[in-house]
RNA sequence: GUUCCUGUGGACGAAUUGGUUAAGUCACUGCUCUUUCACAGCAGAGAUUACGGGUUCGAGCCCCGUCGGGAAUACCA
């Protein structure tokens, strides 16, 4: 165990965990496993207005389903808790005070309404307002007001915020593991709020304080944080923690399937694809989503797919178990450009996992999907169906959908082949063959095949004379699993029944053909 | 608008870090196998490495500019 390597995944419980967040969690997880470090789950719930109950348990359930285990966290415990920022509220004040006392921050008394009014005014002039080293001189804060005035306001109990006092004319250098050196000019930075009017810290303060207190060694997070990293570095400096500052790695964005913009929650519905790990019940239908799990994806496949969205091992291997990923993973092979979310590729990964998964296991996974459709069948039967169908589908529900004929009567017979080759005279041969097969001591795929071959030979018939019709009678389509395997699964009685129901339908097609 | 990030076939992306013929996978097309579909195997098509300059014996890789894409710009994270 390397106790110097400590990473955290720090989602905020404002809704379901989006697939980009899952990838961030995954990269944190992989690096920790690779290095033998510690992985921490920290809930960043400093915004009570956007807080959504159930989001935290959703996050934990998702992570569990995916098989990513954490070493420290709200439910798990650990020596650096509590792991919810709301429960750490009392901690942050003294650091904000430290900033004030050392001249790195100041009190600001502008109300939210006043600020939005100013922003609007700037906007009407096609400018963007920024609370910074220039504009703060015109605003209501402890830098412009006299010490006495500030005393009075503070004593009155009126709400205030604490803002970071960004120095003028300096450069802040970020040394990012994936981006290299990035330089920001402090004159371009705004005086970000550290402590909000309600006494809660903002992300920026809480994040830095907690990362320091929790001895975080590496911050692996999304690219959207890169612009505020300069503020974070300044904070480490002002708090006197610069020498133990974590290393940063900013992950590339995940882009929408059409390449325009970053993948968002609503893209799931828009493109008919999952963008969440598991389903989420929102307050109304448009806030509810199905996840990869409900789409019938295997967690290993989702992880494997996600791992390759912005990273690759540099070898030709593509199928990796979670532990193999951890073994191969390095931060420096993370790519810089945003990666497009390609659902077809995700499906391919899933199919690969489906194929390599044991049939009995798949049968078990299939059960809830079968139940949903009202199919009550044995585990053995589901296992057999899974075995026959897994190479032919991308996701589990498809087994039930395209293989519906394993569970209910044929809905429709594919007419093309019937029209082309069917002749009512063939009934006799099919029936005779079927009778021969029914009387076999063992109604099993291989036996059925040899027996059929014997029959065909004895009656000088070809495969094409009986096969297509047998197949259509049993499944309604010319596509699908091997015929004899289907027969074995269906059983003699069902096969016979399907044959007899099919014949009138075939004849009808034949009659239509003659009459036209 | 401003700041920052980014740009290799349709998609993901490789290229011993400046060394000559730009991998591989997904998707697409064809062939083989197969009673069908799929899987698998083989083959094919698809790229002036966004564009323009520069440095160099040599540039996908370094520098400058242009253009495109993205993110940030909240008392949200």
């Amino acid at each position: 165990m390397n106790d110097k390597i400590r990473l955290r995944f720090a989602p905020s419980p404002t809704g379901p965990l989006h697939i980009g967040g899952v990838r961030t969690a995954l990269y944190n997880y992989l690096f920790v496993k690779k290095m033998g470090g510690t992985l921490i789950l920290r809930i960043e719930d400093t915004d009570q207005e956007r807080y959504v109950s159930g989001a935290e348990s959703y996050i934990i359930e998702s992570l569990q389903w995916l098989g990513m285990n954490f070493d420290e966290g709200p439910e798990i415990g650990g020596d650096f808790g509590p792991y919810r920022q709301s429960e750490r509220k009392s901690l942050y004040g003294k650091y904000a005070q430290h900033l004030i006392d050392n001249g790195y921050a100041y009190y600001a008394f502008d109300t939210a309404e006043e600020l939005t009014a100013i922003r609007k005014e700037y906007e009407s002039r096609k400018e963007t307002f920024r609370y910074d080293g220039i504009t703060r001189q015109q605003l209501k804060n402890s830098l412009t007001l006299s010490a006495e005035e500030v005393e009075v306001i503070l004593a009155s109990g009126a709400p205030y915020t604490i803002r970071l006092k960004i120095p003028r004319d300096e450069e802040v250098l970020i040394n990012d593991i994936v981006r290299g050196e990035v330089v920001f000019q402090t004159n371009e930075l705004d005086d970000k709020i550290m402590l909000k009017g309600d006494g809660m810290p903002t992300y920026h303060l809480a994040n830095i304080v907690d990362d320091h207190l929790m001895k975080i060694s590496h911050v692996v997070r999304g690219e959207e944080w890169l612009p505020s990293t300069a503020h974070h570095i300044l904070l480490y400096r002002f708090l006197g923690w610069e020498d133990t500052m974590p290393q940063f790695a900013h992950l590339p964005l995940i882009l929408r399937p059409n390449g325009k913009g970053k993948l968002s929650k609503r893209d799931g519905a828009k493109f008919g694809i999952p963008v969440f790990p598991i389903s989420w019940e929102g307050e109304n239908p448009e806030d509810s989503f199905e996840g990869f799990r409900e789409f019938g994806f295997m967690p290993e496949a989702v992880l494997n797919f996600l791992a390759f969205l912005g990273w690759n091992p540099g070898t030709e291997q593509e199928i990796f178990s979670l532990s193999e990923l951890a073994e191969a993973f390095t931060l420096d092979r993370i790519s810089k450009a945003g990666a497009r979310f390609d659902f077809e590729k995700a499906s391919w990964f899933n199919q690969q996992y489906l194929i390599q998964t044991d049939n009995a296991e798949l049968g078990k996974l299939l059960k809830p999907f079968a139940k949903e459709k009202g199919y009550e069948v044995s585990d053995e039967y589901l296992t057999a169906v899974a075995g026959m169908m897994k190479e032919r589908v991308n996701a589990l529900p498809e087994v039930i959908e395209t293989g519906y004929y394993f569970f209910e009567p044929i809905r429709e017979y594919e007419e093309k082949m019937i029209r082309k080759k069917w002749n009512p005279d063939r009934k006799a041969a099919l029936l005779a063959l079927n009778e021969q097969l029914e009387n076999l001591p063992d109604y099993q795929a291989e036996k059925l095949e040899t027996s059929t071959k014997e029959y065909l030979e004895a009656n000088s018939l070809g495969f094409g004379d009986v096969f297509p019709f047998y197949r259509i009678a049993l499944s309604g389509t010319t596509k699908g699993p091997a015929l004899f395997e289907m027969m074995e699964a269906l059983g003699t009685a069902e096969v016979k029944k399907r044959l007899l129901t099919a014949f009138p339908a075939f004849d009808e097609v034949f009659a239509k053909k003659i009459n036209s």
Side-chain angles (χ1 to χ4, degrees):
Chain A
M1 190 73 146
N2 185 342
D3 57 5
K4 289 247 160 41
I5 303 291
R6 292 175 53 83
L7 310 220
R8 86 299 195 275
F9 174 58
S12 72
T14 54
L17 182 61
H18 161 274
I19 208 71
V22 174
R23 190 199 52 177
T24 302
L26 175 62
Y27 284 14
N28 274 281
Y29 175 90
L30 294 177
F31 185 67
V32 162
K33 291 300 160 193
K34 165 88 176 200
M35 305 299 286
T38 305
L39 185 60
I40 297 143
L41 178 65
R42 187 174 71 218
I43 302 297
E44 309 226 323
D45 54 350
T46 53
D47 185 356
Q48 67 272 63
E49 288 192 9
R50 291 209 309 155
Y51 181 83
V52 173
S53 73
E56 182 183 319
S57 53
Y58 174 94
I59 291 166
I60 291 171
E61 193 191 342
S62 297
L63 263 16
Q64 242 159 28
W65 177 66
L66 290 160
M68 283 189 274
N69 298 316
F70 284 67
D71 304 304
E72 296 175 20
E75 313 270 279
I76 312 154
D79 298 337
F80 297 82
Y83 293 93
R84 286 185 197 95
Q85 288 183 329
S86 58
E87 295 169 12
R88 303 170 66 81
K89 183 177 177 185
S90 60
L91 252 95
Y92 306 108
K94 72 172 181 194
Y95 297 103
Q97 193 58 48
H98 176 273
L99 293 172
I100 295 257
D101 294 345
N102 290 278
Y104 297 129
Y106 57 92
Y107 297 105
F109 306 109
D110 325 86
T111 66
E113 294 73 39
E114 284 167 355
L115 289 174
T116 44
I118 296 173
R119 284 207 172 82
K120 245 190 206 139
E121 191 206 324
Y122 269 65
E123 215 169 294
S124 68
R125 297 202 308 262
K126 286 199 187 299
E127 283 173 39
T128 306
F129 170 73
R130 190 167 60 203
Y131 207 123
D132 64 11
I134 304 293
T135 57
R136 68 172 168 240
Q137 295 168 19
Q138 254 71 256
L139 292 154
K140 225 186 295 171
N141 53 55
S142 58
L143 265 21
T144 55
L145 269 27
S146 71
E148 293 74 35
E149 286 173 304
V150 171
E151 267 321 300
V152 169
I153 301 178
L154 252 25
S156 79
Y160 62 88
T161 62
I162 293 180
R163 282 182 182 271
L164 193 62
K165 188 181 171 194
I166 300 287
R168 296 293 295 172
D169 305 319
E170 284 183 27
E171 282 189 345
V172 181
L173 177 73
I174 299 167
N175 217 314
D176 190 273
I177 296 173
V178 344
R179 316 268 150 190
E181 291 190 351
V182 181
V183 182
F184 283 89
Q185 306 298 324
T186 55
N187 292 3
E188 301 292 341
L189 270 27
D190 65 328
D191 288 355
K192 283 212 187 305
I193 290 181
M194 297 290 105
L195 217 55
K196 301 188 262 189
D198 63 2
M200 272 287 195
T202 56
Y203 169 89
H204 308 287
L205 211 222
N207 193 265
I208 270 59
V209 167
D210 287 346
D211 281 352
H212 176 258
L213 262 22
M214 295 181 179
K215 297 194 179 344
I216 299 302
S217 61
H218 300 258
V219 170
V220 179
R221 59 172 22 166
E223 181 182 287
E224 66 270 23
W225 292 109
L226 191 54
S228 51
T229 304
H231 290 94
H232 302 160
I233 288 184
L234 251 17
L235 263 173
Y236 279 109
R237 187 174 301 164
F238 296 161
L239 259 6
W241 301 333
E242 205 172 4
D243 47 342
T244 57
M245 186 170 72
Q247 281 195 268
F248 291 96
H250 286 96
L251 270 24
L253 258 15
I254 295 179
L255 273 18
R256 316 168 106 158
N258 63 13
K260 300 251 178 232
K262 78 167 172 182
L263 190 69
S264 71
K265 301 185 179 196
R266 303 168 88 216
D267 291 329
K270 190 170 174 190
F271 296 100
I273 56 175
V275 295
F276 294 98
I278 62 180
S279 68
W280 168 262
E281 289 294 325
E283 286 190 358
N284 41 60
E286 58 264 34
D287 289 332
S288 299
F289 311 98
E290 293 215 308
F292 273 92
R293 184 176 64 186
E294 290 71 31
F295 268 73
F297 276 70
M298 313 200 47
E300 298 88 345
V302 175
L303 255 21
N304 200 153
F305 164 65
L306 248 27
F308 275 74
L309 234 44
W311 173 87
N312 75 83
T315 64
E316 288 183 10
Q317 184 182 349
E318 289 210 283
I319 302 297
F320 283 83
S321 68
L322 191 52
S323 56
E324 285 174 321
L325 281 173
E327 185 57 38
F329 191 76
T330 55
L331 291 175
D332 57 297
R333 287 202 65 88
I334 294 172
S335 46
K336 296 177 184 149
R340 206 161 295 192
F341 185 87
D342 182 3
F343 188 64
E344 294 208 53
K345 188 85 183 207
S347 297
W348 177 80
F349 272 110
N350 197 234
Q351 186 187 39
Q352 296 297 309
Y353 277 85
L354 247 29
I355 290 171
Q356 69 172 246
T357 301
D358 176 69
N359 294 345
E361 176 66 26
L362 289 178
K364 248 186 277 171
L365 293 170
L366 220 41
K367 204 157 195 177
F369 294 108
K371 218 166 213 162
E372 197 180 309
K373 293 270 184 188
Y375 302 145
E376 294 289 348
V377 290
S378 71
D379 290 2
E380 292 71 33
Y381 190 70
L382 278 176
T383 298
V385 172
M388 284 184 276
M389 295 298 289
K390 66 179 184 180
E391 283 177 4
R392 280 160 253 269
V393 298
N394 289 322
L396 253 7
E398 277 180 59
V399 171
I400 307 290
E401 284 153 24
T402 65
Y404 77 93
Y405 47 81
F406 284 112
F407 308 97
E408 56 174 274
I410 311 302
R411 293 173 192 157
E412 194 185 10
Y413 295 103
E414 209 174 89
E415 279 195 23
K416 219 172 102 189
M417 176 61 77
I418 306 169
R419 187 173 267 273
K420 205 160 117 195
K421 285 195 168 164
W422 176 251
N423 185 309
D425 299 347
R426 296 203 192 276
K427 267 180 276 188
L430 274 163
L431 251 15
L433 167 60
N434 196 56
E435 201 176 327
Q436 177 181 317
L437 298 178
E438 274 178 339
N439 291 325
L440 245 31
D442 201 2
Y443 202 70
Q444 185 268 336
E446 280 172 46
K447 306 265 166 53
L448 291 169
E449 184 168 2
T450 32
S451 181
T452 300
K453 278 180 182 159
E454 282 164 16
Y455 176 86
L456 292 176
E457 209 163 311
N459 294 278
S460 54
L461 286 167
F463 279 115
D465 296 323
V466 290
F467 260 79
F469 307 111
Y470 226 135
R471 173 181 287 289
I472 294 174
L474 298 188
S475 70
T477 168
T478 54
K479 300 174 182 176
L483 179 58
F484 300 111
E485 284 176 38
M486 287 201 284
M487 290 172 76
E488 182 186 332
L490 256 16
T492 51
E494 184 63 25
V495 169
K496 180 72 173 275
K497 195 171 123 194
R498 289 194 179 194
L499 227 37
L500 294 178
T501 13
F503 289 157
F506 289 2
D507 287 346
E508 203 178 306
V509 174
F510 182 75
K512 264 198 293 186
K513 178 178 141 187
I514 299 300
N515 294 337
S516 63

